[in-house]
Amino acid sequence: MIVVDNLHKSFGDAHILKGISTSFEKGKTNLIIGQSGSGKTVFLKCLLGLYSYEKGSISYEGKSLNDMTPNEKRDLRADIGMVFQGSALFDSMTIAENVMFPLRMFTKQSKSEMEDRVNQVLNRVNLDGAQHKMPSEASGGMQKRVAIARAIVNNPKFLFCDEPNSGLDPKTAIVIDNLIQEITDEFNITTVINSHDMNSVMEIGEKIVFLKNGHKEWEGSKDTIFKTDNEAVTNFVYSSELFKKVRKMYLEDNT
Amino acid sequence: MKYLHNIGVYFLMIKDMFRKPTKWSVMKNLILKDIDDLIINSLGIVAFISFFVGGVVAIQTSLNISNPLIPKYLVGFATRQSIILEFAPTFISIIMAGKVGSFITSSIGTMRVTEQIDALEVMGINSLNYLVFPKLIALSLYPFAISIAMFLGILGGLVACVYGGYGSYEDYIQGVQLDFITFHIIYAFIKTLVFAFILATIPSFYGYYMRGGALEVGKASTTSFVWTSVVIILLNYLITSLLLG
């Protein structure tokens, strides 16, 4: 579980995060949503420890990031898997080498053990036979699946995904969403997804945190988001005619 | 003010590069790859330029000796001195700032743009140690490339001199062997090692701390080449003043 309390972050005079408090539960897919410029990426990078923050605290399993020793932070990093928006695969390595990378860095496994584990996770993300391809030879959807495989290869306790569906066609986006949901359930990990894809919100948002101008405007789930009368949320989530209709149908069915 | 800030960040980068070392089993492969990319792949251009510039130095020297009282072996002597003292260590380093420096800046810059450096950091890897340190170790073999440049430069002078009809083989060899001072070689290698450090770190600095997209990668490569060259020229003056002045 990750608990965030009164988080503030500024860049110079620009106050980006203005006192965000929330929690991300274990075994759930937690979504951070909001318009571009609402502070989602900065929030995610603070959670990951890539950005320092001026005020507030972030606790992993009850231990505050601020109080952790360098060794504890290193151990925590080994427990974190991250899927970047652009996949961030290492160009100079094959797909198998990319997935094997965290094992080479953090474990003392033999080469054959590592290869077995890589084959196992590539199989889990339906990428059998792609071991020897270079990232440049893989499609966007495949690259995302490799990034997910790399993120989970070391059995992380926390999985972070920054807009995992960006640049993907709707069908592949659903495949990626479902894969993340299944992995979260299967390995009982805390998953935090930064997204502005409304399909993801409706499909896998077990907990949703809505950010607006650096504030937490609303939080709930894929069920409660249909019922909310928060104007900022409804304006953002139901901005398209399709989602307006979906919401109307949901409310009609549930009243 | 921005320059002072950059100088500070550069030295902090060097300090951080030695923090939290990468596992040796991984680092070993990175060093070997960088030796291949930075040294072995540069030998062709270094050999080509050294051979022909050596030839040009010999021809120019010969053409500018019109006084019959000046001995012909001066061509070999002047070529050797030019090549060992300046051409091989300094001129080749400027060329390497273009070839190797641009490669380092653009490869690290592209990793920054595509979030590969963030991926390393998230995994708890010291990205500076992972990316820059192997380049520094690989470039410690740079004197090896410069030795080849020295040899081929002098050989190029010999070939141009003898086959171009500017002097005899015996005169040229006599000139090359005349008044040889061992410290000149030591001076050249001291310069080379300092330049190797500059070649590894300044382009890495511009790649690592760049922000933006593909266009900025190109701009960072150009800026990196300019500053690497400027620092090499300034340090060349300083080292020459200290060691030979």
Side-chain angles (χ1 to χ4, degrees), chain A residues 45 48 50 74 77 80 82 84-86 88-91 93 101-102 104-107 150, chain B residues 20 22-23 25-26 29 33 110-111 114-125 130:
Chain A
K45 290 196 172 180
L48 287 162
L50 288 177
R74 198 179 307 154
R77 298 262 191 215
I80 289 177
M82 172 77 192
F84 284 88
Q85 189 175 355
L89 301 178
F90 302 119
D91 306 323
M93 299 179 192
F101 187 77
R104 285 174 64 206
M105 296 304 294
F106 297 111
T107 69
R150 185 177 68 182
Chain B
K20 245 169 85 179
T22 306
K23 263 170 93 171
S25 58
V26 176
N29 293 334
K33 186 177 177 301
T110 305
M111 287 186 76
T114 55
E115 296 181 305
Q116 291 175 51
I117 293 179
D118 286 342
L120 289 169
E121 290 289 328
V122 167
M123 288 181 212
I125 294 159
Y130 183 87

Side-chain angles (χ1 to χ4, degrees), chain B residues 45-55 57 79-95 142 146 148-150 152-154 191 195 236:
Chain B
I45 187 79
V46 166
F48 177 79
I49 293 174
S50 303
F51 186 83
F52 284 99
V53 171
V57 169
T79 305
R80 184 199 75 198
Q81 290 298 86
S82 310
I83 296 285
I84 289 178
L85 292 176
E86 281 312 314
F87 170 75
T90 311
F91 191 58
I92 290 288
S93 294
I94 300 291
I95 291 163
Y142 184 47
I146 294 303
I148 292 174
M150 287 174 180
L152 287 174
I154 293 169
K191 282 206 301 192
F195 297 160
N236 185 38

Side-chain angles (χ1 to χ4, degrees), chain B residues 56-240:
Chain B
V56 170
V57 169
I59 293 170
Q60 293 279 20
T61 310
S62 176
L63 291 176
N64 283 286
I65 299 172
S66 51
N67 191 332
L69 293 175
I70 297 176
K72 279 288 179 189
Y73 60 69
L74 190 71
V75 175
F77 177 79
T79 305
R80 184 199 75 198
Q81 290 298 86
S82 310
I83 296 285
I84 289 178
L85 292 176
E86 281 312 314
F87 170 75
T90 311
F91 191 58
I92 290 288
S93 294
I94 300 291
I95 291 163
M96 291 287 271
K99 188 192 178 292
V100 167
S102 302
F103 171 76
I104 292 174
T105 306
S106 56
S107 58
I108 295 180
T110 305
M111 287 186 76
R112 169 65 72 195
V113 171
T114 55
E115 296 181 305
Q116 291 175 51
I117 293 179
D118 286 342
L120 289 169
E121 290 289 328
V122 167
M123 288 181 212
I125 294 159
N126 177 3
S127 55
L128 280 169
N129 181 268
Y130 183 87
L131 294 171
V132 186
F133 186 72
K135 290 173 177 49
L136 186 64
I137 300 299
L139 278 167
S140 66
L141 294 179
Y142 184 47
F144 167 70
I146 294 303
S147 308
I148 292 174
M150 287 174 180
F151 172 75
L152 287 174
I154 293 169
L155 182 71
L158 173 71
V159 171
C161 186
V162 174
Y163 292 98
Y166 298 100
S168 68
Y169 173 83
E170 289 76 17
D171 282 342
Y172 187 88
I173 294 297
Q174 187 188 352
V176 166
Q177 292 175 335
L178 186 73
D179 289 339
F180 181 74
I181 300 168
T182 316
F183 182 70
H184 285 174
I185 296 279
I186 296 168
Y187 154 79
F189 283 134
I190 289 172
K191 282 206 301 192
T192 304
L193 281 170
V194 173
F195 297 160
F197 184 84
I198 297 301
L199 282 170
T201 53
I202 292 184
S204 297
F205 169 79
Y206 279 101
Y208 191 84
Y209 292 103
M210 65 142 300
R211 290 284 178 273
L215 187 66
E216 279 73 20
V217 175
K219 283 181 187 169
S221 297
T222 310
T223 314
S224 141
F225 171 68
V226 170
W227 281 108
T228 308
S229 307
V230 166
V231 172
I232 285 174
I233 297 292
L234 286 176
L235 285 176
N236 185 38
Y237 176 79
L238 194 70
I239 295 169
T240 306

